[in-house]
Amino acid sequence: ERYQWADVLLGLDPGDDGTAAPLKAFHKGATCIVPATVASEHGVEHGWNGLIADPNDVADVARQLDRLSLDRPYRFFLQRNALRTALLWPDWRQSANSMALAIEAIARSSPPE
């Protein structure tokens, strides 16, 4: 496993969105700080289950880290919602079934004109 358990995942590399790191962190009960590009792919909602930051704005990232370290109830709120997000996220079987249903619906439909 590439990631060890932590309270917060700081993942600001916008090119690292293929790892599903936020969702892995959520399953461990951690929250994360990620760029918008990663957030949109992995169910991160700013202020609900994680935080979205501009990787080029170091001062803002530092403020967000400070808030998480100083405001434990807020961090626990984010972590609780992160875990909920992970538990509601479809597993591989659910995803495959949804995809199969979508493909079947397309196959049954009339071709576009």
Side-chain angles (χ1 to χ4, degrees):
E1 179 72 17
R2 185 172 154 194
Y3 301 98
Q4 298 298 319
W5 187 89
D7 288 329
V8 177
L9 168 72
L10 181 60
L12 295 176
D13 181 358
D16 197 24
D17 63 347
T19 64
L23 192 54
K24 289 178 183 180
F26 287 177
H27 275 285
K28 300 282 188 180
T31 190
C32 59
I33 300 175
V34 295
T37 54
V38 173
S40 65
E41 299 244 338
H42 299 287
V44 178
E45 296 180 50
H46 184 77
W48 173 251
N49 58 13
L51 299 171
I52 298 173
D54 178 353
N56 299 312
D57 188 348
V58 177
D60 180 52
V61 173
R63 276 191 300 277
Q64 291 190 52
L65 284 168
D66 284 345
R67 180 168 185 202
L68 291 177
S69 70
L70 298 172
D71 189 346
R72 291 181 67 177
Y74 182 61
R75 188 177 76 238
F76 292 154
F77 171 82
L78 294 174
Q79 290 171 330
R80 204 171 35 254
N81 291 326
L83 188 55
R84 282 188 191 132
T85 300
L87 294 173
L88 294 173
W89 201 266
D91 63 20
W92 286 109
R93 176 169 284 161
Q94 292 167 319
S95 295
N97 287 340
S98 294
M99 181 61 124
L101 290 172
I103 291 171
E104 289 171 2
I106 291 169
R108 286 192 306 272
S109 66
S110 301
E113 294 181 22

